[in-house]
Amino acid sequence: MGEGQISCSLLIRETQKDGVKSQRTMSQKTEGFLAFAPVFKNGSYNATAMRSTVNFIDSTLTDETRRSHVISKNILLELKESETEVTTISEMFQKENQTSTVFLHEEASENQIKQSIINPYKYLHIATHGIFNPTNPELSGLIFAQNRSEKEDGILYQSESYFLKTKCDLLTLSACETGLGEYIKGEGI
């Protein structure tokens, strides 16, 4: 591990000294489930990639690694089952009388996730396109709704994610290329 890095096992040990759990307890959670699925439905405004997204994908991926399942002729390919995925999970939480908030299509924007995750949701689920850049990992990212009325570019870059203050206990990324990277013993990917 490089200087300034901390292992997960050390972090757990530090937050649970002498068998006492960290100060962030389950009772502090006021919300249950939060999910985002832009879906990119064929023919929708949301599916037409903004120029910044096209530039990002073009600069990130070489011809040999270009992922045709992400974009074709400036159209983000539809993730047909992502809406079913998040609504099914949401219904499970609702059956248990737990709070559930789902943002779909145009509502599943980069701006919306940045605003929503500051709330204390226990579970966060993101179902979208993911891009991995092995040469410049900071250019890896998740693609959200292509909403031209917002100041954001529709891509949550890895480098931006470091500044997000989420309080969730579990974050699930249901996207292509989110499990790529270097395996580090004791840390994972």
Side-chain angles (χ1 to χ4, degrees):
M1 279 188 293
E3 188 175 323
Q5 292 181 331
I6 186 168
S7 76
C8 286
S9 53
L10 178 60
L11 180 61
I12 291 168
R13 227 179 9 253
E14 288 298 310
T15 59
Q16 295 181 341
K17 286 189 178 192
D18 301 322
V20 178
K21 290 188 178 181
S22 74
Q23 294 178 357
R24 212 176 103 220
T25 64
M26 296 299 227
S27 63
Q28 292 172 317
K29 304 293 182 207
T30 59
E31 302 291 332
F33 178 71
L34 174 64
F36 293 85
V39 184
F40 308 109
K41 187 169 176 65
N42 290 337
S44 73
Y45 176 77
N46 182 29
T48 304
M50 289 190 291
R51 172 70 13 222
S52 59
T53 302
V54 174
N55 290 342
F56 165 67
I57 292 170
D58 286 346
S59 67
T60 302
L61 304 174
T62 64
D63 286 339
E64 65 186 40
T65 62
R66 186 171 182 79
R67 306 296 194 252
S68 61
H69 61 272
V70 174
I71 193 165
S72 175
K73 298 179 183 173
N74 297 347
I75 302 296
L76 291 161
L77 299 183
E78 184 175 4
L79 297 171
K80 294 178 183 180
E81 298 302 319
S82 61
E83 182 172 357
T84 303
E85 177 182 335
V86 297
T87 56
T88 300
I89 297 169
S90 175
E91 289 167 3
M92 291 168 41
F93 277 89
Q94 291 170 356
K95 284 179 184 174
E96 297 296 322
N97 294 319
Q98 293 188 35
T99 304
S100 178
T101 304
V102 175
F103 293 98
L104 298 168
H105 306 282
E106 287 79 10
E107 291 181 345
S109 67
E110 180 185 5
N111 189 51
Q112 186 64 59
I113 191 168
K114 287 179 176 180
Q115 290 177 8
S116 298
I117 66 168
I118 59 172
N119 296 318
Y121 285 93
K122 200 169 172 184
Y123 306 100
L124 175 58
H125 188 97
I126 302 169
T128 191
H129 287 298
I131 299 291
F132 174 66
N133 185 324
T135 308
N136 298 304
E138 68 278 2
L139 294 179
S140 300
L142 299 171
I143 302 174
F144 285 89
Q146 302 293 286
N147 190 335
R148 288 148 186 84
S149 64
E150 294 181 357
K151 65 178 183 171
E152 301 291 350
D153 63 3
I155 304 163
L156 182 63
Y157 296 97
Q158 177 197 353
S159 56
E160 287 180 290
S161 68
Y162 290 124
F163 301 104
L164 298 178
K165 303 289 184 201
T166 181
K167 296 176 180 158
C168 67
D169 288 336
L170 176 66
L171 167 61
T172 303
L173 297 177
S174 178
C176 295
E177 303 190 6
T178 55
L180 299 178
E182 180 183 348
Y183 175 77
I184 300 172
K185 188 175 181 177
E187 295 298 313
I189 297 177

